[in-house]
Amino acid sequence: MAMELSSLTRCHLPLLLLFLLAGSSSMALPVHPAMDRVRWQVDKVNRRGHSIGLVMSYIDEATALESSGYFRPWHVLPFVDLYGRRYHIGSIRGVNVIYALTGQRRTLIDVFTVSGIVHYGTAGSSNDSMSFGDVSVPKFVAYTSAWTWKKFKSPKESDTELSFGDFTVPNGGENLLGALKFRNEELYSVGKPMKEVFWLPVDSAWFKIAGGLKVTLERCNDTFCLPTTPKVVCGLKGSSADMFLDNAEYRKFLFREFGVSTVDEESAAVVMTTTSPGIPVIVFRGVSDLAGGEPTWSSTSLMNLASINALKVAVEFIATVGKQKSTMSAGSANN
């Protein structure tokens, strides 16, 4: 589907959207009379206790949640408007949730108290390991549009370079565009030295929980029915970049060189931004299209079905995490 990243560690990267739903306090808000009411609202929300942050990026993904009936607004304070963005306060199956449509190319450090981030949305498939309507729960994601553009005829430094000559038609050969060398990202974490990484893992404990989910996904929407019932696939790799990928050859290159099964614009941003402060994060991506070279109906007819299926898995995950926390709290109270 698409690919994009927001990084808090490199100002030269194209910035996505991601607002950090980190557990700071309303004291992090600017000291200004106009912010007094917002500060009061944030404090009121945080006094409910920890919430799970639910992050999506596109209207279709938010619409899937709003029309599902899963989300129940908090009657005391159903939303908080902060920096032009609305944060919806409520619950899903008894678990405190704050959700927001993040939008694109904005960075916001949030102030709500959250116990983790659940990110769901749509993605493109990069190979036949994923079918339309399937939901991927990647174990690793990478940002695949941080490049060093090499000079023509520069010696090869890595096995995963993209040489434009390999794609010269009809028979390949040299190309004055040279080659692209993929770069690592600088990951800054609390209490740890900076390290360069290419693959970003989701939270291992949350990934284990996700692997045990039993969810029946939807096969039909209002306009189309898939030939088979979609499935949840755990443990594959995903890639993100700040571009919409609609090119069959580049899609094949990403699968061949990195083994990624889905492509999107946000997952790496979400994982990197939450990994830095040590907040648990999990990603659910519904396959809505083949990233280049597919029939024209797929991206339009299956977009909302992919959103609905990704949401179903995310909701089941939130409910399962909530049950586990309730069980642990009850056990502690009895001891």
Side-chain angles (χ1 to χ4, degrees):
M1 157 66 214
M3 308 172 57
E4 184 164 295
L5 170 65
S6 155
S7 172
L8 299 183
T9 59
R10 285 186 174 178
C11 61
H12 66 271
L13 290 179
L15 293 179
L16 168 87
L17 51 102
L18 186 70
F19 61 132
L20 176 58
L21 283 168
S24 52
S25 73
S26 64
M27 295 304 292
L29 294 170
V31 178
H32 189 279
M35 297 300 294
D36 288 346
R37 177 169 175 78
V38 174
R39 186 176 291 105
W40 174 84
Q41 290 176 328
V42 169
D43 283 339
K44 194 173 189 67
V45 172
N46 287 341
R47 284 197 294 271
R48 292 196 312 164
H50 284 79
S51 300
I52 287 180
L54 186 59
V55 180
M56 72 287 294
S57 302
Y58 294 97
I59 293 296
D60 282 345
E61 297 158 3
T63 300
L65 176 61
E66 292 165 359
S67 61
S68 67
Y70 293 131
F71 183 79
R72 305 186 67 175
W74 190 31
H75 69 281
V76 175
L77 184 63
F79 60 84
V80 174
D81 290 330
L82 178 62
Y83 301 136
R85 194 172 307 284
R86 176 157 292 186
Y87 297 89
H88 299 265
I89 316 301
S91 63
I92 291 178
R93 295 193 183 175
V95 181
N96 287 346
V97 168
I98 301 171
Y99 90 82
L101 180 67
T102 60
Q104 295 185 18
R105 301 187 184 280
R106 296 188 63 129
T107 302
L108 177 63
I109 296 179
D110 198 37
V111 293
F112 296 106
T113 302
V114 299
S115 56
I117 300 295
V118 174
H119 175 49
Y120 80 91
T122 57
S125 174
S126 60
N127 77 309
D128 59 7
S129 66
M130 298 287 293
S131 300
F132 297 133
D134 287 350
V135 176
S136 174
V137 188
K139 190 172 185 178
F140 296 95
V141 295
Y143 180 57
T144 52
S145 65
W147 305 317
T148 297
W149 205 309
K150 301 178 63 177
K151 293 180 179 179
F152 179 54
K153 290 189 176 182
S154 296
K156 190 172 184 179
E157 303 173 57
S158 169
D159 291 336
T160 53
E161 292 184 358
L162 189 156
S163 173
F164 287 97
D166 294 341
F167 300 91
T168 301
V169 294
N171 300 315
E174 294 184 342
N175 190 303
L176 293 175
L177 287 173
L180 300 176
K181 177 185 175 182
F182 289 81
R183 294 201 309 263
N184 293 335
E185 288 301 303
E186 296 175 352
L187 179 62
Y188 292 85
S189 301
V190 176
K192 299 178 181 179
M194 184 278 291
K195 64 178 180 179
E196 293 192 354
V197 299
F198 186 77
W199 293 108
L200 297 161
V202 301
D203 184 78
S204 58
W206 275 21
F207 180 77
K208 185 176 180 180
I209 294 172
L213 298 177
K214 305 296 182 184
V215 186
T216 300
L217 301 181
E218 300 296 328
R219 188 172 71 88
C220 301
N221 60 14
D222 294 337
T223 60
F224 189 83
C225 280
L226 295 167
T228 59
T229 301
K231 59 188 181 299
V232 180
V233 183
C234 294
L236 300 179
K237 295 177 180 178
S239 72
S240 300
D242 56 329
M243 60 185 176
F244 183 91
L245 178 55
D246 190 20
N247 184 285
E249 291 305 314
Y250 188 59
R251 161 176 58 82
K252 294 173 184 177
F253 170 84
L254 288 175
F255 175 71
R256 183 173 63 250
E257 298 298 331
F258 300 112
V260 299
S261 296
T262 55
V263 294
D264 64 66
E265 296 183 22
E266 306 87 14
S267 295
V270 175
V271 175
M272 173 172 277
T273 309
T274 52
T275 296
S276 291
I279 297 173
V281 62
I282 193 75
V283 174
F284 302 105
R285 284 286 179 173
V287 174
S288 63
D289 62 282
L290 184 63
E294 84 281 11
T296 56
W297 53 260
S298 63
S299 59
T300 54
S301 300
L302 296 177
M303 178 70 76
N304 82 316
L305 183 60
S307 297
I308 290 168
N309 281 343
L311 173 61
K312 288 191 73 172
V313 183
V315 166
E316 191 63 34
F317 175 83
I318 290 171
T320 302
V321 169
K323 289 177 183 177
Q324 290 190 359
K325 288 186 176 180
S326 296
T327 301
M328 292 175 61
S329 297
S332 298
N334 293 331
N335 291 334

